[in-house]
Amino acid sequence: MSSADALDDENTFKILVATDIHLGFMEKDAVRGNDTFVTLDEILRLAQENEVDFILLGGDLFHENKPSRKTLHTCLELFRKYCMGDRPVQFEIISDQSVNFGFSKFPWVNYQDGNLNISIPVFSIHGNHDDPTGVDALCALDILSCAGFINHFGRSMSVEKIDISPILLQKGSTKIALYGLGSIPDERLYRMFVNKKVTMLRPKEDENSWFNLFVIHQNRSKHGSTNFIPEQFLDDFIDLVIWGHEHECKIAPTKNEQQLFYVSQPGSSVVTSLSPGEAVKKHVGLLRIKGRKMNMHKIPLQTVRQFFMEDVVLANHPNIFNPDNPKVTQVIQSFCVEKIEEMLENAERERLGNSRQPEKPLIRLRVDYSGGFEPFNIHRFSQKFVDRVANPKDIIHFFRHREQKEKMGEEINFGKLTTKPLEGTTLRVEDLVKQYFQTAEKNVQLSLLTERGMGEAVQEFVDKEEKDAIEELVKYQLEKTQRFLKERHIDALEDKIDEEVRRFRESRQKNTNEEDDEVREAMSRARALRSQLEDSASAFSADDLMSMDLAEQMANNSDDSISAAPSRGRGRGRGRGQRGGRGQNSAPRGGSQRGRAFKSSRQQPSRNVATKNYSEMIEVDESDEEEDIFPTTSKTDQRWSSTLSSKHMSQSQIAKGVDFESEEEDDDDPFMSISSLRRNRR
């Protein structure tokens, strides 16, 4: 056992941290269909074996907003298998649970429910894939919450102002303030931070004794001027941020030098895109917190399908590939076959001794054919590897670099300017709509609607299956424009009307808040319309049901042998008040003893001298127990007598290439000191 295990006492929280499980991803694929279910089984089994206090999920538990019955059934089956039992929960919640879980019909933590027997509580925020939608603003996590398997928190009920109230946890002398914020459109949340509409509440009582843990699910890398959340926006009293949504595994906490907190990015547990970030070896984290100290232990996942990626630039090898050679396509194809064979050999070597890893790996060879080369038939080429790889259809990816400049005066070739986006970047529907209208001709430009509003409506149509979103947005903005023209008493001249409509559209584009209100109103109309259609579709059977009930009642009344209602059968043998040590709690839920007074984090600077009288520690444990036994020298490069500027990115190689700096270790205390790294704010 490690020295960290020696400190697992009554004052130490043990938390299993994971994000972006994407349950149900490619569930209909014959080869990869069960990958997400197998990995979730491994994650929950690790939590059970390590006897953690609770599991913390950072969003996107489900891949689809409306998961299939198979996905929901498997999820419930696994949570019931691993998270229910008689092992007592060793921590208590001392905040007002009616505030923490106020949107739920059961506003208390699941392990305090007398009808449930929870051994490992699960706390989760929602992500952008499984966020609330529809008339009732429900998501798949609400189903799990109602069933008693998950504690869904971090949900914001307002689109104008967000107050984040923490869940206050205590185990012995250690106290954690757990903050959470479910996924919100990045541009909207960005503006709310800029306008100071996001407030993190802090307990007034002993505010310096709390370890502040924040879970967020947003873009961390910059995808546009406002399409991400800078770390500097977050409050500086936070100690550790668990950042979801980004799939590259950077689970070792890294320090933000400006805000003086640490950020851990666990990444996804399944490969959802064949991009370089996904090639990093997948981990979950075992987080230990004791007082104001923390220790993050990386646990490699053994059931994740292998993923190997390599790049080839044909123009860099003129001695091998000559575009004027009539047989150059056959030469390129033979070279690609050998590169893929090499990656398959590496995958087979790495899989030795790990019977739990899927047999067929994911392989991606990216070929830059700029310089006059032509791609070959990918489908015919992929037939050679159908039985050996998990992704034969997209094993090869041809691309060309974007042309940087175009000559003035010439007609712009949009075929050159518009290329497939770089893999690893998140391509959003709104961006596609905006890009289309920016490059479109004048006769197809929008004259009434705005690109941003149309993009939001298309996003709702694609992601949330709101079929009336676009139609309702068009109707709403048309009605608003008509009212504007009537109020201005515009003459019935076509040119004058067009000019006023253009001015009105430009004014709406500048007023982003008004445009957001338009989109929200249109989406509300679409949801209300869908609800009415659903109600009308089900209303026709109401009379039939009443007739059936009446006939059944008459039949029952005429039966003299009808028996009395059966009494309740087997009971649990204990009431809610006799749960004993389920949470070591005696205070009632949401009562005066459980309530806490909070104050806004913006009232005063948090990094002052008064808040520095504590010992703050951190350690990153990277003992993955892996050894590089086999050399990975490229035989293909030697055989073709050329050094390719390729980027071989396998899971194990990238993981070994990351060097995390650490402080001097203490043999007696596994929690590494970082008190010297903290500095007082002035």
Side-chain angles (χ1 to χ4, degrees):
M1 300 295 288
S2 65
S3 56
D5 292 329
L7 289 183
D8 291 343
D9 53 22
E10 66 277 3
N11 298 318
T12 303
F13 273 96
K14 290 175 66 177
I15 309 167
L16 188 80
V17 179
T19 64
D20 296 273
I21 296 175
H22 285 274
L23 206 60
F25 174 72
M26 294 193 71
E27 62 176 326
K28 295 182 180 179
D29 187 88
V31 178
R32 305 166 63 183
N34 289 324
D35 284 5
T36 57
F37 306 129
V38 173
T39 302
L40 177 61
D41 184 279
E42 180 186 5
I43 293 173
L44 297 179
R45 181 180 51 79
L46 286 171
Q48 188 181 70
E49 291 176 353
N50 287 278
E51 297 182 347
V52 300
D53 290 301
F54 64 90
I55 299 173
L56 184 60
L57 302 180
D60 279 354
L61 173 62
F62 295 98
H63 183 70
E64 298 290 343
N65 187 266
K66 299 176 181 178
S68 66
R69 281 176 290 185
K70 175 187 174 182
T71 300
L72 277 175
H73 178 269
T74 307
C75 181
L76 292 169
E77 175 188 348
L78 293 175
F79 277 115
R80 178 169 179 172
K81 177 181 178 181
Y82 290 103
C83 297
M84 299 189 75
D86 292 325
R87 187 171 72 90
V89 177
Q90 301 293 339
F91 66 91
E92 59 180 343
I93 296 182
I94 57 179
S95 56
D96 189 346
Q97 298 183 40
S98 63
V99 175
N100 302 138
F101 312 109
F103 52 84
S104 173
K105 296 295 184 180
F106 306 94
W108 55 81
V109 70
N110 61 349
Y111 72 84
Q112 290 182 356
D113 194 314
N115 298 316
L116 302 173
N117 215 24
I118 303 297
S119 60
I120 304 179
V122 180
F123 294 87
S124 177
I125 63 173
H126 63 261
N128 60 306
H129 280 257
D130 51 13
D131 59 330
T133 184
V135 179
D136 298 320
L138 295 176
C139 64
L141 290 184
D142 293 321
I143 298 177
L144 300 183
S145 175
C146 185
F149 292 106
I150 275 185
N151 301 291
H152 181 198
F153 74 109
R155 181 168 171 177
S156 174
M157 305 299 291
S158 173
V159 295
E160 298 178 355
K161 190 177 188 300
I162 299 177
D163 291 327
I164 307 176
S165 182
I167 303 175
L168 302 182
L169 315 173
Q170 183 168 3
K171 181 179 180 182
S173 60
T174 300
K175 296 186 290 186
I176 296 178
L178 178 60
Y179 297 85
L181 182 61
S183 177
I184 296 175
D186 292 290
E187 294 178 346
R188 181 191 304 169
L189 185 59
Y190 187 101
R191 285 197 307 273
M192 296 179 75
F193 270 113
V194 170
N195 297 329
K196 301 188 183 302
K197 298 297 184 181
V198 181
T199 304
M200 301 182 70
L201 305 178
R202 301 185 67 185
K204 291 182 179 180
E205 183 179 329
D206 299 328
E207 68 174 28
N208 298 326
S209 63
W210 296 90
F211 185 93
N212 300 293
L213 178 61
F214 183 37
V215 191
I216 188 173
H217 190 99
Q218 303 291 154
N219 278 335
R220 186 183 181 192
S221 56
K222 191 172 183 179
H223 293 271
S225 58
T226 61
N227 195 16
F228 76 113
I229 303 301
E231 296 178 7
Q232 286 71 20
F233 280 3
L234 307 184
D235 287 287
D236 58 0
F237 70 86
I238 299 172
D239 296 297
L240 177 64
V241 178
I242 303 297
W243 206 298
H245 185 62
E246 301 289 351
H247 282 205
E248 183 177 357
C249 183
K250 298 179 180 179
I251 199 168
T254 56
K255 184 183 180 185
N256 183 295
E257 295 296 339
Q258 180 175 344
Q259 298 296 89
L260 303 180
F261 53 63
Y262 283 80
V263 180
S264 174
Q265 181 179 303
S268 65
S269 60
V270 63
V271 177
T272 59
S273 63
L274 302 179
S275 60
E278 296 276 18
V280 182
K281 189 171 180 61
K282 305 294 186 182
H283 294 80
V284 293
L286 182 59
L287 176 63
R288 291 178 172 88
I289 298 176
K290 184 177 182 180
R292 296 303 299 270
K293 307 175 184 179
M294 67 178 179
N295 168 279
M296 179 70 81
H297 172 58
K298 295 167 54 179
I299 303 178
L301 294 173
Q302 303 297 330
T303 59
V304 178
R305 191 176 296 275
Q306 294 170 292
F307 176 33
F308 291 82
M309 172 177 284
E310 190 165 345
D311 290 350
V312 174
V313 182
L314 300 181
N316 290 350
H317 311 286
N319 56 333
I320 301 177
F321 309 114
N322 182 5
D324 297 329
N325 183 357
K327 296 185 178 181
V328 65
T329 303
Q330 289 81 355
V331 177
I332 296 174
Q333 188 168 345
S334 299
F335 183 82
C336 292
V337 168
E338 294 203 22
K339 298 298 289 185
I340 293 174
E341 289 287 352
E342 182 181 322
M343 286 190 279
L344 287 172
E345 290 177 6
N346 292 334
E348 187 174 353
R349 285 197 296 264
E350 285 194 6
R351 197 169 56 250
L352 290 176
N354 184 7
S355 59
R356 301 170 59 193
Q357 202 160 41
E359 181 179 354
K360 296 180 181 180
L362 296 168
I363 300 293
R364 170 54 70 94
L365 182 64
R366 301 194 302 184
V367 181
D368 183 355
Y369 66 102
S370 303
F373 299 97
E374 293 294 332
F376 51 80
N377 190 302
I378 298 177
H379 298 290
R380 188 179 306 158
F381 177 85
S382 64
Q383 294 301 314
K384 303 175 182 179
F385 303 97
V386 168
D387 298 327
R388 303 178 61 190
V389 300
N391 60 316
K393 293 183 180 179
D394 48 12
I395 191 172
I396 292 281
H397 172 61
F398 286 101
F399 69 98
R400 287 188 296 182
H401 282 297
R402 185 191 300 262
E403 296 290 340
Q404 297 295 331
K405 295 182 180 179
E406 293 288 340
K407 294 182 180 180
M408 298 298 294
E410 295 184 359
E411 184 179 355
I412 298 178
N413 185 353
F414 288 104
K416 290 184 178 181
L417 295 178
T418 307
T419 60
K420 189 172 181 178
L422 292 176
E423 293 180 291
T425 61
T426 303
L427 188 61
R428 303 166 67 242
V429 175
E430 300 99 311
D431 300 332
L432 284 175
V433 174
K434 186 177 180 181
Q435 180 183 1
Y436 171 79
F437 286 112
Q438 284 178 345
T439 58
E441 298 178 0
K442 267 192 173 181
N443 58 346
V444 295
Q445 289 282 0
L446 292 173
S447 58
L448 178 64
L449 307 179
T450 61
E451 291 88 351
R452 189 159 171 273
M454 178 60 73
E456 295 256 354
V458 175
Q459 182 78 24
E460 290 283 331
F461 177 83
V462 173
D463 287 349
K464 311 297 172 54
E465 298 183 9
E466 292 292 349
K467 299 180 180 180
D468 301 310
I470 300 176
E471 181 182 356
E472 289 299 325
L473 178 67
V474 173
K475 288 181 180 179
Y476 181 79
Q477 291 191 345
L478 179 60
E479 293 172 1
K480 195 169 183 179
T481 306
Q482 290 172 342
R483 288 197 302 269
F484 171 78
L485 295 175
K486 289 180 180 179
E487 292 173 358
R488 298 289 298 271
H489 303 289
I490 303 300
D491 296 334
L493 298 177
E494 185 175 352
D495 294 338
K496 194 170 184 180
I497 292 177
D498 291 343
E499 179 66 20
E500 290 295 332
V501 170
R502 185 184 61 80
R503 291 179 181 177
F504 181 56
R505 179 176 177 274
E506 290 176 353
S507 66
R508 295 204 326 271
Q509 283 181 315
K510 295 178 182 179
N511 192 344
T512 56
N513 291 331
E514 182 179 353
E515 193 170 7
D516 283 345
D517 293 338
E518 290 182 2
V519 175
R520 283 197 296 269
E521 176 65 25
M523 295 308 104
S524 299
R525 288 188 176 190
R527 291 162 185 164
L529 179 61
R530 178 166 57 84
S531 179
Q532 292 174 3
L533 293 176
E534 291 175 353
D535 293 343
S536 61
S538 60
F540 77 96
S541 60
D543 295 336
D544 297 336
L545 291 176
M546 292 178 63
S547 300
M548 292 172 61
D549 292 340
L550 182 59
E552 184 178 355
Q553 183 179 1
M554 293 174 64
N556 290 337
N557 292 336
S558 63
D559 188 358
D560 296 335
S561 60
I562 188 170
S563 59
S567 60
R568 185 172 180 177
R570 179 175 60 89
R572 290 188 55 86
R574 56 184 178 182
R576 180 176 299 178
Q578 298 174 344
R579 292 285 291 173
R582 292 301 306 156
Q584 299 180 352
N585 293 324
S586 58
R589 286 187 293 265
S592 59
Q593 299 179 19
R594 194 170 298 281
R596 283 279 172 173
F598 292 95
K599 68 174 183 178
S600 170
S601 61
R602 302 188 181 278
Q603 292 179 356
Q604 60 183 8
S606 58
R607 296 292 186 192
N608 50 28
V609 179
T611 64
K612 303 304 292 183
N613 57 355
Y614 60 83
S615 173
E616 189 170 356
M617 311 282 191
I618 182 176
E619 178 190 311
V620 179
D621 189 343
E622 300 182 62
S623 55
D624 287 354
E625 299 180 359
E626 297 176 352
E627 296 182 4
D628 190 5
I629 302 176
F630 301 98
T632 57
T633 305
S634 174
K635 298 178 183 178
T636 307
D637 293 348
Q638 297 174 356
R639 185 175 303 135
W640 289 83
S641 65
S642 174
T643 304
L644 299 180
S645 62
S646 59
K647 189 177 182 183
H648 195 178
M649 308 178 72
S650 70
Q651 291 182 348
S652 61
Q653 287 171 327
I654 295 182
K656 294 167 189 170
V658 180
D659 183 16
F660 296 99
E661 296 182 358
S662 60
E663 295 293 315
E664 183 180 356
E665 295 186 358
D666 188 350
D667 294 334
D668 296 330
D669 190 354
F671 298 93
M672 186 180 303
S673 172
I674 60 164
S675 57
S676 59
L677 298 179
R678 293 280 188 174
R679 63 177 182 268
N680 294 335
R681 284 201 174 273
R682 298 183 180 179

